[in-house]
Amino acid sequence: MSFQPGRHFLQIPGPTNVPDRVLHAISYPTIDHRGADAAALTLTCLEGMRTVFKTAGEVIIFPGSGTGAWEAALVNTLSPGDKVVAFDSGHFAGLWVKVAKNFGLTVDVIPGDWRHGANPEALADRLHADKDHAIKAVMVVHNETSTGVTTNIAAIRKAIDAAGHPALLMVDTVSSLGSIDYRHDEWGVDVAVAGSQKGLMLPPGLAFNAVSAKAVEAGKQAKLPRSYWRWEEMRDMNAKGFFPYTPATNLLFGLREALKMMIEEEGLRNVFLRHQRHGEATRRAVRAWGLEVFAANPAEFSSSATAILMPEGFSETELRAVILKNFNMSLGAGLGKLAGKVFRIGHLGSFNDLMLAGTLCGVEMGLELAGVPHRKGGVVEALASLSASVPPAV
Ligand code: PLP
């Protein structure tokens, strides 16, 4: 590959751009993971993660990816043959179902069109009909990265409560945590699943569970096989700042720095507002181009990623290839049944107005070069939206 000057634009919806400060922190010399400095590092990271998850409960950090955290949520709380309810709300929701099936769980998948979030009414029907409480857990993705559609988790909780059903609520926050407001305790979530590589502004490599007391209790009866992902040893060791095996020490250096930036310096509220502004500006550009945002319900628009439908007869693969070759920018592919049909713009993580402007310029120029029918002026609309919504200086 020939030299490409300037920075690569990594505008897939994760992994996201890692700030230089975080990269520098990761490059500190590795320390003894059984020493006092490591303990202080772990405890600081756990405290920060509790703030980000908005929980007073427990957070567990694994070396791993989001898929590992999915597995950990299931194997620590359920037994072979247990019934769980999930939603056909997108590609990642489907992959989590696959993990559940691989462990012998019986998964009742509520159908969906992928353009809407998980449906609380359909869930309520399932739970009301389940008089014997055979359903042990509800699995839902907060922000479906493949579609740019969010689910109202508070409404899902309400449906469970209204049915008086004891099922655990498990929520995938992989592409919402640190970019879209997520409230673990307020929404009564039992197990949350997350990864380091999206809103948290780190490279891939850390996996997280936030865990309620009810989930810990359920775990005492759970019979699914587990070893690497066992919460028990992790919780005991983490309480003192250590791990039952070698942690990803240098990623924890990065996490400590990223948490400081998000919580102490920018403030979580501002982080979410920034993502909302970027989501809104992106959608305005899309509409001005005469293209269609894949998410159908404005109340469910994602602030971290936008999926855009290609005009009939034009492939996203070709468009993304043209943009990568000419403008050194990676955009998200269509996944699963959306392959070829949508491309995705990631606008999450360490990202600002001018990065979004550059991203949208690359898309607009790419649409032209790839011969995709569109109108001009998406960038102009986005810039107007951004300048009209600049937060007041404090
Ligand atoms: N859940 C969601 C919503 C995701 O977007 C992803 C990955 O992009 C995953 C889970 C899987 O995470 P990982 O690829 O880190 O295993």
Side-chain angles (χ1 to χ4, degrees), residues 32-204:
D32 171 11
H33 60 286
R34 301 191 196 283
D37 287 351
L41 170 67
T42 306
L43 294 174
T44 304
C45 287
L46 287 170
E47 190 50 41
M49 288 306 296
R50 275 193 282 274
T51 303
V52 175
F53 275 113
K54 298 194 173 167
T55 182
E58 294 187 52
V59 173
I60 294 166
I61 306 177
F62 297 102
S65 82
T67 304
W70 274 341
E71 180 169 329
L74 301 173
V75 298
N76 279 289
T77 54
L78 300 167
S79 299
D82 273 356
K83 190 169 172 186
V84 298
V85 173
F87 299 84
D88 182 20
S89 56
H91 180 70
F92 290 103
L95 290 180
W96 198 7
V97 166
K98 237 180 178 173
V99 176
K101 288 185 174 165
N102 286 343
F103 279 99
L105 298 170
T106 305
V107 192
D108 179 8
V109 182
I110 296 178
D113 66 356
W114 287 27
R115 299 191 76 167
H116 296 83
N119 180 345
E121 285 87 33
L123 174 64
D125 291 346
R126 292 290 201 288
L127 297 179
H128 278 293
D130 181 39
K131 301 284 179 231
D132 306 337
H133 295 166
I135 297 168
K136 299 299 177 205
V138 174
M139 298 156 52
V140 56
V141 176
H142 184 204
N143 183 73
E144 180 48 73
T145 325
S146 63
T147 60
V149 175
T150 57
T151 280
N152 182 341
I153 302 298
I156 296 288
R157 174 79 258 166
K158 221 168 143 194
I160 299 173
D161 289 347
H165 201 288
L168 295 171
L169 174 57
M170 300 188 182
V171 178
D172 175 327
T173 71
V174 170
S175 61
S176 58
L177 196 73
S179 52
I180 298 170
D181 196 6
Y182 171 77
R183 305 175 182 190
H184 191 79
D185 288 359
E186 184 182 322
W187 296 340
V189 178
D190 293 299
V191 190
V193 167
S196 52
Q197 72 272 26
K198 303 200 191 240
L200 296 177
M201 309 187 292
L202 293 172

Side-chain angles (χ1 to χ4, degrees), residues 114-118 141-145 147-152 175-176 179-181 272 275-287 291-309 345 347:
W114 287 27
R115 299 191 76 167
H116 296 83
V141 176
H142 184 204
N143 183 73
E144 180 48 73
T145 325
T147 60
V149 175
T150 57
T151 280
N152 182 341
S175 61
S176 58
S179 52
I180 298 170
D181 196 6
F272 303 142
H275 283 80
Q276 280 171 21
R277 289 178 65 244
H278 291 161
E280 174 62 21
T282 303
R283 292 187 295 273
R284 286 191 188 215
V286 172
R287 289 188 208 105
L291 300 179
E292 196 179 340
V293 172
F294 183 72
N297 175 4
E300 297 175 331
F301 285 157
S302 168
S303 299
S304 60
T306 300
I308 299 146
L309 270 168
I345 301 176
H347 32 78

Side-chain angles (χ1 to χ4, degrees), residues 42 213 242-243 360 372:
T42 306
F242 298 112
F243 288 77
L360 297 174
V372 178

